[in-house]
Amino acid sequence: MQAILLVGGQGTRLRPLTLTTPKPMLPVAGVPFVTHQLARLAAAGFDHVVLATSYRAEVFAAHFGAGQNLGLRLSYVTEAEPLGTGGAIRNAAAALHPGDELVVVQNGDVLSGHDLAAQVARHRATGAVATLHLVTVEDPRAYGCVPTDEAGRVLAFHEKMPEPVSDQINAGCYVLDRAVIDAIPAGAVVSVERETFPSLLAAGAVVTGVVDDSYWLDVGTPAAYVQASVDIVTGVVESPAYTGVPVDPSAVVDPSASVVGGTALGAGVVVGAGAVVAASVVQRGVRIGAGAVVTRSAIGAGAVVGDGRVVTDAAIADSATV
Ligand code: GTP
């Protein structure tokens, strides 16, 4: 099986962290976020993954190479200009080896424990041209919603609305017939969510939704990004990519400091006397001063948190001093 991972977005909601590092490469529980997705794909039996890159494309291949450490073959396809989700899928498909009728496509910013094999099996069983993972959320107003009938057939794709007709939302993982991808115009900016899927419905094609309410988190915002790392470290969700060691061995934590609540510390981090670091992601080379209190925050590489400073629910830029 082959998959395409969409990793080319600008990650604007995660600025300033994404000014230097693309969202899928931000550290989560000690490894770049997308490592968790790649490890899950490898565990599910995928052998080839194409990374559809655009923003800061070069960092992906520099880190993952040909994929040998993950037991996968990785290819990289870069858009000269970002083509949106649909355009990126079409562009990346050029690197798939031909012959597979099905392709799995995932957004590169979703941490999910859902049963991918079941989603693929459902696609095969229903004869749909596209099978989408859907999740139910308490407040769907912030998302486009995707109502289905009793048989799971998608009825519509609605944009955000004040009174959503369903609490089901698109979870960013699709099984697509290769023909669906080949029908996307080459070289054009296309949104798979807003253009490709609605036009399939308009043409009378069968699009199926699979509701799976296992762990799911879209790491689009600083709070969700920090939560993803905490959830892996504290075991709320399992990842085959997590080493089980949230504090890099080269970090130096004063014996009187507390590092708690699922915090992950990167290489070379120094935590001073009496400091408390709770439920946070601290990237490599950060210095946290004596008596500082850092809670539910993401601290960018090389940043300095001064003695006694209190940082709560914050996203601090690389090399910043607070
Ligand atoms: P925001 O700017 O904060 O909305 O984040 P984003 O840029 O990641 O956008 P969004 O969350 O809507 O993207 C969903 C997924 O598609 C992410 O994994 C993105 O990396 C990816 N993505 C979005 N646009 C493009 C694109 O033009 N090209 C490629 N290759 N990937 C994209």
Side-chain angles (χ1 to χ4, degrees), residues 142-233:
Y143 306 87
C145 75
V146 186
T148 51
D149 69 13
E150 319 78 67
R153 189 164 170 172
V154 173
L155 298 171
F157 289 91
H158 293 293
E159 299 278 348
K160 284 178 202 171
M161 47 170 66
E163 290 189 36
V165 295
S166 163
D167 58 359
Q168 295 175 175
I169 64 159
N170 174 358
C173 178
Y174 322 118
V175 186
L176 302 180
D177 277 3
R178 180 63 202 252
V180 167
I181 297 177
D182 292 343
I184 298 171
V189 177
V190 178
S191 160
V192 75
E193 303 89 344
R194 285 193 292 276
E195 297 172 71
T196 310
F197 293 146
S199 64
L200 286 173
L201 284 192
V206 178
V207 178
T208 302
V210 179
V211 182
D212 179 324
D213 281 330
S214 48
Y215 182 95
W216 182 83
L217 187 63
D218 168 357
V219 302
T221 62
Y225 160 62
V226 171
Q227 190 67 48
S229 186
V230 166
D231 284 349
I232 292 173
V233 172

Side-chain angles (χ1 to χ4, degrees), residues 5-15 18 23-24 37 51-55 77 79 81-89 106-110 189-190 193 218 220-221:
L5 267 184
L6 300 174
V7 294
Q10 302 250 344
T12 50
R13 290 165 295 158
L14 266 169
R15 287 180 187 161
T18 46
K23 174 166 58 173
Q37 293 184 298
L51 287 136
T53 62
S54 175
Y55 177 65
V77 179
E79 296 136 53
E81 294 295 326
L83 293 175
T85 49
I89 295 167
Q106 282 192 304
N107 284 354
D109 57 357
V110 169
V189 177
V190 178
E193 303 89 344
D218 168 357
T221 62

